[in-house]
Amino acid sequence: MIRYALVCDQDHGFEAWFASSSDYDDQSARGLVECPFCASRQVRKQIMAPAVTGTKKSDGLKPDALKAMQTMMMQAAREVRSHVEENFEYVGDAFAREARDIHEGRSEQREIYGEATPNDIKKLKDDGVPCMPLPDVPDPSKAN
Ligand SMILES: [Zn+2]
């Protein structure tokens, strides 16, 4: 089903459902589409414009804007990652076990990061252990 906003030659606006756009074309061509207010058969589709928020005319996202956004997101990702790398304790492959131990109070409360398999992450989440993937950013300055 498809809903069309229609208007008659007396400027009555109304809506009607059709099985498809070709169904509308067919009914319209045969004069079967009729205005519910004045029974006029001079009915056409209203021209619709995409909804735009605000009053400012939007010309959409330009490629430049998209690129700037990507750069900003990369920048943010890099900052998150370097913050973690500077302030969190690296535990390597022991991440899943260590995160669980900290969560359950068996290990000293601290912030850690390390490697885990998708399966580890799933199990941690199932058990309510908060963890999230670090943004993966290429870091050519890191030579070690
Ligand atoms: Zn009408």
Side-chain angles (χ1 to χ4, degrees), residues 10-84:
Q10 303 296 313
D11 281 322
H12 299 128
F14 61 100
E15 292 180 339
W17 288 93
F18 298 91
S20 63
S21 64
S22 60
D23 180 46
Y24 166 81
D25 290 339
D26 182 53
Q27 292 199 38
S28 175
R30 291 195 284 152
L32 298 176
V33 184
E34 160 178 301
C35 173
F37 302 101
C38 66
S40 166
R41 302 210 167 167
Q42 300 299 310
V43 169
R44 60 196 148 82
K45 286 185 225 174
Q46 285 187 43
I47 305 300
M48 305 301 284
V52 178
T53 53
T55 51
K56 190 167 170 283
K57 191 164 169 276
S58 168
D59 52 3
L61 274 182
K62 289 175 180 167
D64 282 0
L66 265 175
K67 197 156 184 214
M69 243 161 77
Q70 278 172 349
T71 306
M72 272 164 57
M73 282 165 70
M74 284 294 285
Q75 182 65 27
R78 216 170 263 132
E79 278 168 18
V80 168
R81 199 180 172 94
S82 67
H83 173 83
V84 166

Side-chain angles (χ1 to χ4, degrees), residues 80-90 111-113:
V80 168
R81 199 180 172 94
S82 67
H83 173 83
V84 166
E85 286 174 353
E86 280 163 27
N87 298 285
F88 289 21
E89 182 184 334
Y90 181 69
E111 296 186 295
I112 60 169
Y113 74 105

Side-chain angles (χ1 to χ4, degrees), residues 111-131:
E111 296 186 295
I112 60 169
Y113 74 105
E115 280 98 52
T117 65
N119 201 29
D120 288 336
I121 301 296
K122 189 184 177 305
K123 276 192 265 180
L124 286 172
K125 286 195 168 156
D126 285 348
D127 294 343
V129 182
C131 59

